[in-house]
Amino acid sequence: MTDLSFVNARIVRPDGAEPGELHVRDGTIVGSPAPNATTIDCRGKTLAPGIVDLGVFAIDRAAFRAGGIVRVGLMPDQSPVLDDPGIVQRASLVGKPRLWIHPIAAATKGLAGIDLAEMAIMKGAGAKAVSTGRRWIADSGVMRKVLAYARDLDLAVITHAEDGGLTDGKVATEGETATRLGLPAAPAIAEALAVARDVALAEETGARLHVRQVTTAAGFALIRAAKRRGARVTCGITPAHLLLSDNAMSDFRTFAHLSPPLRDESDRQAALAAVRDGTVDVLCSGHDPRGPEEKRLPFADAAAGASGAETLLALSLSLDLPIERLFALLAANPARILGVETGSLAPGMSADLLLLDETAPWQIKGEAMTARAGNTPFDGLPAQGKVLRLWKGGAEILA
């Protein structure tokens, strides 16, 4: 493996960004240059940790490369479901060496929410967490067992926070927009109900709980209070729920059909505040590419999901966060939840790096995306920030 010295870079560290050099030997960040290392002149651009995208629904190498993503936490909602050690092991190996896939195993067999899956064996096969997938486990007794079992294995439990009793068959959030469009809608409180129960069980069992997406003021209040009590609770969100309200559904455009659904403006403002005050731990793409056969349907019949990997970084840059905070949300925190040694440009870490031009302008165009499908609710939006080059363990990932 070629040793590297990055010079003339603006380097993102946990405590800020400053001009400097970074050195890589045998795929690992080191404190001094290796003899005969290849020099890479970064020309003043930003050198940051490669993104760890926690909770994608599809493997999409081209989209990940374009978005600066070097590792993904793959949700168990695959075909077949990631509820078997052999399937988990194959998923963990399929992307290497250019992409590392960290499987998130199903917490229950078939994601049915009834019988616990063999978490210990799946951890041995490569699973880095367990999850309820796109669903919420309705049976509190089963959920308590999931959390207790995962605690003993030191695995995070990643949940979908919507009470299924209120949201089944619904495609929008109750409110003016859903009423005007005549869409089947669920109350936003469905999220807080799910978060409240799962947080209570996590505190009672001592398990690590990560709520993949929190999107309402009531949900954030519960997460914030749980953190103050010292609970082992974290949460994430996608740029779509930070930058769009349910008004984006006004033209019945199915690209704005997401799960959880877009919320009203007051909840969107609460989400922005939760990012700023540290309640949110992870920014993720929720990458879920859907072709025209699933999206070119009436809104209520179309599949939920958006293609988010290519736009994750640029949309996150628009939040105007300190750069070190941004990459804590995109890389360090998701790496910590998965328990993998990356996400920070510190000696000893894997040399997962992205070179970024933060000021490069471009326009998001669904038909021009490299993803498996261009179903983005941001089609036509001007953006800023492009990935120039990307390395995984010191090896460059070429387009």
Side-chain angles (χ1 to χ4, degrees):
M1 181 172 290
T2 303
D3 297 327
L4 304 170
S5 285
F6 295 85
V7 301
N8 191 21
R10 177 175 178 260
I11 299 178
V12 178
R13 310 279 192 190
D15 56 353
E18 58 183 20
E21 299 181 355
L22 184 138
H23 309 289
V24 175
R25 182 181 296 180
D26 295 330
T28 301
I29 298 171
V30 294
S32 58
N36 304 316
T38 298
T39 299
I40 297 174
D41 186 349
C42 298
R43 302 184 179 185
K45 303 303 182 188
T46 300
L47 190 65
I51 293 172
V52 182
D53 196 359
L54 180 54
V56 304
F57 290 91
I59 300 303
D60 200 340
R61 290 181 179 82
F64 297 149
R65 164 64 183 78
I69 297 164
V70 295
R71 301 181 187 233
V72 298
L74 179 64
M75 292 296 284
D77 315 63
Q78 307 297 312
S79 180
V81 172
L82 302 184
D83 64 355
D84 174 86
I87 299 169
V88 167
Q89 186 174 39
R90 282 196 294 277
S92 70
L93 296 174
V94 71
K96 292 181 178 179
R98 297 174 65 192
L99 170 71
W100 276 28
I101 298 167
H102 299 299
I104 300 170
T108 57
K109 293 178 181 176
L111 289 171
I114 300 172
D115 299 314
L116 266 60
E118 295 289 350
M119 295 184 205
I121 301 175
M122 289 193 290
K123 180 181 180 182
K128 295 297 185 184
V130 296
S131 176
T132 64
R134 287 188 171 94
R135 308 175 191 176
W136 183 69
I137 293 178
D139 188 318
S140 298
V142 172
M143 187 62 187
R144 185 172 183 270
K145 290 177 183 175
V146 166
L147 288 161
Y149 199 10
R151 173 207 59 205
D152 292 343
L153 297 169
D154 193 26
L155 289 171
V157 178
I158 299 174
T159 58
H160 179 85
E162 287 188 294
D163 186 317
L166 293 173
T167 60
D168 280 353
K170 310 298 193 297
V171 298
T173 305
E174 281 185 358
E176 180 183 342
T177 301
T179 300
R180 182 162 42 81
L181 300 179
L183 295 173
I189 197 69
E191 178 177 282
L193 290 171
V195 170
R197 188 208 65 175
D198 291 346
V199 165
L201 290 174
E203 288 189 87
E204 193 260 343
T205 57
R208 285 195 288 141
L209 174 70
H210 177 71
V211 185
R212 191 174 62 85
Q213 288 201 66
V214 179
T215 57
T216 64
F220 289 118
L222 290 164
I223 298 291
R224 199 174 284 123
K227 288 186 171 187
R228 281 199 298 266
R229 295 193 299 271
R232 303 171 77 193
V233 174
T234 54
C235 72
I237 194 169
T238 68
H241 289 89
L242 290 166
L243 301 174
L244 300 174
S245 71
D246 56 1
N247 280 333
M249 305 187 306
S250 293
D251 60 356
F252 292 101
R253 187 167 171 74
T254 57
F255 286 6
H257 183 183
L258 307 176
S259 177
L262 293 173
R263 307 301 189 181
D264 68 17
E265 181 62 17
S266 65
D267 278 328
R268 188 183 81 86
Q269 292 298 327
L272 289 169
V275 171
R276 294 191 196 102
D277 72 13
T279 302
V280 171
D281 304 275
V282 172
L283 288 174
C284 59
S285 73
H287 190 63
D288 197 1
R290 301 281 187 169
E293 71 283 356
E294 294 181 281
K295 283 292 188 182
R296 205 168 289 167
L297 295 168
F299 195 97
D301 298 327
S307 183
E310 285 174 75
T311 57
L312 171 62
L313 179 55
L315 294 173
S316 298
L317 283 166
S318 75
L319 299 173
D320 200 25
L321 297 168
I323 194 74
E324 67 275 14
R325 165 72 175 150
L326 178 67
F327 278 94
L329 292 163
L330 291 170
N333 292 348
R336 190 175 302 119
I337 291 167
L338 292 172
V340 293
E341 293 291 322
T342 187
S344 175
L345 301 189
M349 288 286 186
S350 176
D352 299 345
L353 313 168
L354 73 83
L355 188 63
L356 167 68
D357 184 345
E358 295 179 57
T359 61
W362 59 292
Q363 186 178 27
I364 298 171
K365 293 183 179 179
E367 73 273 12
M369 292 174 76
T370 61
R372 284 163 44 178
N375 57 309
T376 170
F378 297 100
D379 192 26
L381 183 75
Q384 190 167 295
K386 291 285 277 184
V387 175
L388 302 175
R389 299 175 69 176
L390 189 66
W391 292 264
K392 171 76 199 72
E396 185 164 8
I397 303 172
L398 302 173

